[in-house]
Amino acid sequence: MTFQVAVIPGDGIGPELYEGSKRVIAKLIEKYNLDINLIEVEAGDTALNKYGEALPKQTLSVIEKADIILKGPVGETAMDVVVKLRQMYDMYANIRPAKSLPNVQSKYSNVDLLIVRENTEDLYKGFEFVPSSGVAIAIKVTTEFASKRIVNVALNYALIRRHKVTCVHKANVMRITDGLFASVCREVLKGKVNFDEMYVDAAAANLVRDPTRFDVIVTSNVYGDILSDEASQIAGSLGLAPSANIGDRKSMFEPVHGAAFDIAGKGIANPTAFLLSVSMMLSRMYDVSKENKYILASKSLEGAIIETYKSGNKLTEDVGGNAKLKDMVDEIYKYI
Amino acid sequence: MTFQVAVIPGDGIGPELYEGSKRVIAKLIEKYNLDINLIEVEAGDTALNKYGEALPKQTLSVIEKADIILKGPVGETAMDVVVKLRQMYDMYANIRPAKSLPNVQSKYSNVDLLIVRENTEDLYKGFEFVPSSGVAIAIKVTTEFASKRIVNVALNYALIRRHKVTCVHKANVMRITDGLFASVCREVLKGKVNFDEMYVDAAAANLVRDPTRFDVIVTSNVYGDILSDEASQIAGSLGLAPSANIGDRKSMFEPVHGAAFDIAGKGIANPTAFLLSVSMMLSRMYDVSKENKYILASKSLEGAIIETYKSGNKLTEDVGGNAKLKDMVDEIYKYI
Ligand SMILES: CC(C)[C@H](C(=O)O)[C@@H](O)C(=O)O
Ligand SMILES: CC(C)[C@H](C(=O)O)[C@@H](O)C(=O)O
């Protein structure tokens, strides 16, 4: 099979990240003989201005036929692009690794945890209304089905990692909704891995106190949103964190960082999060195809990024270097 | 007037914290000639076991007549005691300072921020139900009234601090509920203080990146719960953080930490959070009475705690010392 990949370069630094990364992707495709067809589409603030829609019809029709979406950061319209696509294609598992990189100044070292965030329900359903003037209501939804599905994803990751899952919830307050999530965690995980539970407030503190105590964290959508930003900053920088949105039919890969309009067009953006997202995409292609070349390509790219950090002389400003985006990409290219 | 204070020693280390702190409170009352009448009542896990209710009727009848509640940590029944009292007496402002203490080993220094957490609504209303088997629903409530009220509290704190308020929400996703909160923030704060807005995920990351960029953070109940635990850990330790729950008629003061059953009865618990909560209580008594002696007593207690950390040789194990609870309290007593 050939993987059809719809690429959304996005807003702000998004287009230059994709432009800069093309050589790297092309080298991987050639070297590993990957069957990948990249199709660029528009979505985000720029698309909204041009077409009146953040997610234009022509974009959606490409995405509809694609297996995978590779997405750069999107500006103010993120919700209409990101959350919409996640729900539309039931990409239920948001996978967010937080891992220390060599030579990145950080108060923490050896961070290596994975947040598995439920990606389709909770307050993200978008059910909100105004029952009376000055009163706003939102509905938090937790289902047994979606909870089981995500906890199983966490279990599978734990089994290929350090066999530990921390289930994060607030079932002492949200007894019914978070209570359901917690009980599914116990049912699915107990006896299969080293399993513990933690209230979300305690988890936010424990990430600061000792991030190395965590392996896999599984949690619902809102808590996952908050804790994954916190964790990636603890691992070094929010600007370096990749993510995957996995569904049964389609998946989407995106850096966690935003469009960074303030540095857009200057060629100084850090390509790490975008390229690590490409590496996660290649790993997903392996999971789907079971063809070794994809996992080799994924590991090669991840390894090249780590080498670049280890050598440390072609890093962008945000991580203490003075290289440009292009120089850093060239260095990564070299190591592939 | 004489302040009637209902004291809930609570569970785990709670009773020894109160027992140990009594001398300090008595010295303050005597030295500053404070009009305070302390009445001990039972609530929490122990009360549940004894009376079948975490918040027994005889306790409630004392609390009903009291002006103030001073509360130690409570175990598994925290929700039924803490959240119930907050709502019952409309103690709408949860005030949570996160401040570095001298000689406390921490990756961060000079942290001095204040989280003002809305304390009565959001998902904490407790409206939850099961519309169909395997489906759980919770209702998040945001009102203009409660938002205005809490944002005004934040404004008043900012005006006696560094004149900066960060309003934390997620209005890009919860457009109606968090959108209402955000619009109230703009309405109340713009032009009056240095005001900015931050999405809750970004706030969780920014607390890690640079906690000193914050002065006052105002936010809704769930985000406040999470961010205040994170912030207090960043300031040094969750175990050192005090808090106030302020209402127009009644207020409650409590350490943020839990009952710590594992060290209960050993006399090694750290009294800082409990005594800093007492200091917040005295400061509230000044706000209510406008009698200077209360603020003097509040500052004297806070100063004595800081001196104890500065001298550093009577600290409990959790902060790197080898003193017992009693020794540390004696040292604080000395400095008053
Ligand atoms: C942009 C926003 C809607 C999104 C979210 O809240 O999920 C982002 O913060 C993320 O975590 O991917
Ligand atoms: C014990 C719990 C119900 C409480 C809360 O969530 O508010 C606690 O975490 C706190 O922050 O005071």
Side-chain angles (χ1 to χ4, degrees):
Chain A
M1 79 179 279
T2 296
F3 287 103
Q4 304 294 335
V5 178
V7 183
I8 301 172
D11 300 315
I13 56 172
E16 64 203 271
L17 286 178
Y18 179 54
E19 223 27 75
S21 303
K22 273 183 177 166
R23 315 183 49 201
V24 167
I25 301 175
K27 184 167 182 186
L28 289 163
I29 292 180
E30 204 198 297
K31 179 161 179 193
Y32 292 96
N33 193 23
L34 309 177
D35 303 307
I36 294 178
N37 184 27
L38 301 157
I39 314 137
E40 261 176 76
V41 293
E42 292 171 279
D45 297 6
T46 320
L48 177 67
N49 289 337
K50 251 166 100 175
Y51 308 104
E53 282 175 310
L55 206 50
K57 276 192 199 59
Q58 57 273 42
T59 295
L60 277 174
S61 82
V62 172
I63 287 176
E64 181 61 36
K65 283 173 263 155
D67 307 294
I68 281 176
I69 304 157
L70 176 61
K71 198 195 119 297
V74 158
E76 280 310 302
T77 51
M79 166 74 176
D80 301 304
V81 177
V82 187
V83 179
K84 193 163 172 198
L85 287 172
R86 287 175 187 159
Q87 302 217 345
M88 200 165 188
Y89 292 109
D90 200 25
M91 297 187 280
Y92 55 87
N94 197 326
I95 311 298
R96 306 196 149 189
K99 203 172 164 178
S100 305
L101 281 166
N103 280 318
V104 174
Q105 274 284 89
S106 169
K107 297 185 191 288
Y108 300 88
S109 51
N110 302 318
V111 180
D112 181 10
L113 61 89
L114 186 78
I115 297 190
V116 175
R117 164 184 175 190
E118 203 291 324
N119 217 19
T120 62
E121 45 186 41
D122 199 341
L123 291 160
Y124 278 75
K125 279 275 182 200
F127 299 149
E128 288 191 296
F129 57 102
V130 176
S132 169
S133 164
V135 180
I137 296 285
I139 309 282
K140 165 171 165 141
V141 179
T142 307
T143 67
E144 192 180 343
F145 171 76
S147 303
K148 273 203 176 130
R149 185 163 75 163
I150 197 69
V151 176
N152 273 301
V153 171
L155 172 61
N156 290 332
Y157 276 103
L159 292 175
I160 55 169
R161 289 175 53 98
R162 302 192 304 276
H163 290 246
K164 181 165 177 194
V165 182
T166 303
C167 167
V168 171
H169 57 72
K170 185 88 189 182
N172 54 340
V173 175
M174 272 70 84
R175 288 174 173 169
I176 299 182
T177 47
D178 285 15
L180 174 58
F181 188 79
S183 74
V184 167
C185 283
R186 283 168 217 143
E187 195 189 305
V188 174
L189 298 170
K190 267 200 175 158
K192 302 230 183 65
V193 282
N194 179 348
F195 161 69
D196 64 354
E197 294 178 57
M198 204 178 274
Y199 296 136
V200 60
D201 47 340
N206 280 324
L207 279 170
V208 171
R209 202 174 56 78
D210 179 15
T212 64
R213 80 174 296 297
F214 295 101
D215 178 14
V216 175
I217 291 175
V218 65
T219 192
S220 48
N221 212 340
V222 171
Y223 307 149
D225 177 47
I226 299 171
L227 296 182
S228 63
D229 269 35
E230 179 187 350
S232 61
Q233 188 63 45
I234 283 174
S237 165
L238 187 58
L240 307 176
S243 75
N245 302 266
I246 309 281
D248 291 330
R249 291 165 39 226
K250 232 184 262 301
S251 42
M252 175 164 69
F253 301 84
E254 50 176 349
V256 177
H257 64 66
F261 290 106
D262 51 324
I263 59 160
K266 297 190 178 157
I268 58 169
N270 185 325
T272 305
F274 186 76
L275 285 173
L276 284 174
S277 301
V278 172
S279 171
M280 291 184 85
M281 173 183 87
L282 295 167
S283 159
R284 173 66 184 171
M285 288 171 172
Y286 167 73
D287 290 341
V288 171
S289 68
K290 295 292 166 207
E291 292 191 65
N292 261 322
K293 60 189 188 183
Y294 293 102
I295 195 73
L296 293 173
S298 166
K299 288 202 184 305
S300 163
L301 175 53
E302 194 194 10
I305 294 167
I306 292 174
E307 280 311 312
T308 300
Y309 276 90
K310 269 195 191 141
S311 90
N313 43 39
K314 288 285 156 50
L315 300 180
T316 46
E317 279 173 33
D318 58 304
V319 283
N322 51 21
K324 302 266 173 202
L325 164 61
K326 194 186 164 311
D327 308 324
M328 185 159 173
V329 171
D330 286 348
E331 184 82 352
I332 295 170
Y333 183 93
K334 233 180 62 187
Y335 286 116
I336 287 171
Chain B
M1 80 178 280
T2 296
F3 286 103
Q4 302 295 335
V5 179
V7 183
I8 301 172
D11 300 315
I13 56 172
E16 65 204 271
L17 286 177
Y18 179 55
E19 221 31 69
S21 303
K22 274 183 177 167
R23 319 184 42 203
V24 168
I25 301 175
K27 184 167 182 187
L28 289 164
I29 292 180
E30 204 197 295
K31 179 162 180 194
Y32 292 96
N33 193 23
L34 309 178
D35 302 307
I36 294 178
N37 184 26
L38 300 157
I39 313 138
E40 260 176 78
V41 293
E42 292 172 278
D45 297 5
T46 319
L48 177 67
N49 289 337
K50 251 166 100 174
Y51 307 105
E53 281 175 312
L55 207 50
K57 275 189 201 61
Q58 56 273 42
T59 295
L60 278 174
S61 83
V62 172
I63 287 176
E64 180 61 36
K65 282 172 265 156
D67 307 292
I68 281 178
I69 305 156
L70 175 61
K71 198 196 120 296
V74 158
E76 280 310 301
T77 51
M79 167 74 177
D80 302 303
V81 177
V82 187
V83 179
K84 192 161 173 198
L85 287 173
R86 287 175 187 159
Q87 303 217 347
M88 198 164 188
Y89 293 108
D90 200 25
M91 297 187 280
Y92 55 87
N94 196 326
I95 310 299
R96 306 195 150 192
K99 201 171 165 179
S100 305
L101 280 166
N103 280 318
V104 174
Q105 275 284 89
S106 170
K107 296 184 190 288
Y108 300 88
S109 50
N110 302 320
V111 179
D112 182 8
L113 61 89
L114 186 78
I115 297 190
V116 175
R117 164 184 175 192
E118 204 292 322
N119 217 17
T120 62
E121 44 186 40
D122 199 342
L123 291 160
Y124 277 77
K125 280 274 183 202
F127 299 148
E128 288 190 297
F129 58 101
V130 176
S132 170
S133 163
V135 180
I137 295 284
I139 309 283
K140 165 171 166 142
V141 179
T142 307
T143 67
E144 192 179 346
F145 171 76
S147 302
K148 272 202 177 134
R149 185 162 76 162
I150 197 70
V151 177
N152 274 303
V153 171
L155 172 61
N156 289 333
Y157 276 103
L159 292 175
I160 55 168
R161 289 175 52 98
R162 302 193 303 276
H163 290 247
K164 180 165 176 195
V165 182
T166 304
C167 166
V168 171
H169 57 72
K170 186 87 189 182
N172 54 339
V173 174
M174 272 70 84
R175 287 174 173 169
I176 299 183
T177 47
D178 284 16
L180 173 59
F181 187 79
S183 74
V184 167
C185 283
R186 283 168 217 143
E187 195 187 304
V188 174
L189 298 170
K190 267 198 175 161
K192 303 229 183 69
V193 283
N194 178 348
F195 160 68
D196 64 353
E197 293 178 57
M198 204 177 276
Y199 296 136
V200 60
D201 48 339
N206 279 324
L207 278 170
V208 171
R209 203 174 56 77
D210 179 17
T212 64
R213 79 175 295 298
F214 294 102
D215 178 14
V216 175
I217 291 175
V218 65
T219 192
S220 48
N221 212 339
V222 171
Y223 307 149
D225 177 46
I226 300 171
L227 295 181
S228 62
D229 269 35
E230 180 187 350
S232 61
Q233 189 63 46
I234 283 174
S237 165
L238 186 58
L240 306 177
S243 75
N245 302 267
I246 309 281
D248 290 330
R249 289 168 36 228
K250 231 185 261 302
S251 42
M252 175 164 69
F253 301 83
E254 50 176 349
V256 176
H257 64 67
F261 291 106
D262 51 325
I263 59 160
K266 297 189 178 159
I268 58 169
N270 185 326
T272 305
F274 186 76
L275 284 173
L276 285 175
S277 302
V278 171
S279 171
M280 291 184 85
M281 174 183 86
L282 295 167
S283 160
R284 174 66 184 169
M285 288 172 172
Y286 167 73
D287 290 342
V288 171
S289 68
K290 293 294 166 206
E291 292 191 65
N292 262 322
K293 60 189 188 182
Y294 293 102
I295 194 73
L296 292 174
S298 166
K299 287 200 185 305
S300 162
L301 175 53
E302 193 194 11
I305 294 167
I306 293 173
E307 279 311 313
T308 300
Y309 276 90
K310 268 195 192 143
S311 90
N313 43 39
K314 289 284 156 53
L315 300 180
T316 47
E317 279 173 33
D318 58 304
V319 284
N322 51 21
K324 302 269 172 199
L325 164 62
K326 193 185 165 310
D327 308 323
M328 186 159 173
V329 171
D330 286 347
E331 184 82 353
I332 295 170
Y333 183 93
K334 231 180 63 186
Y335 286 115
I336 286 171

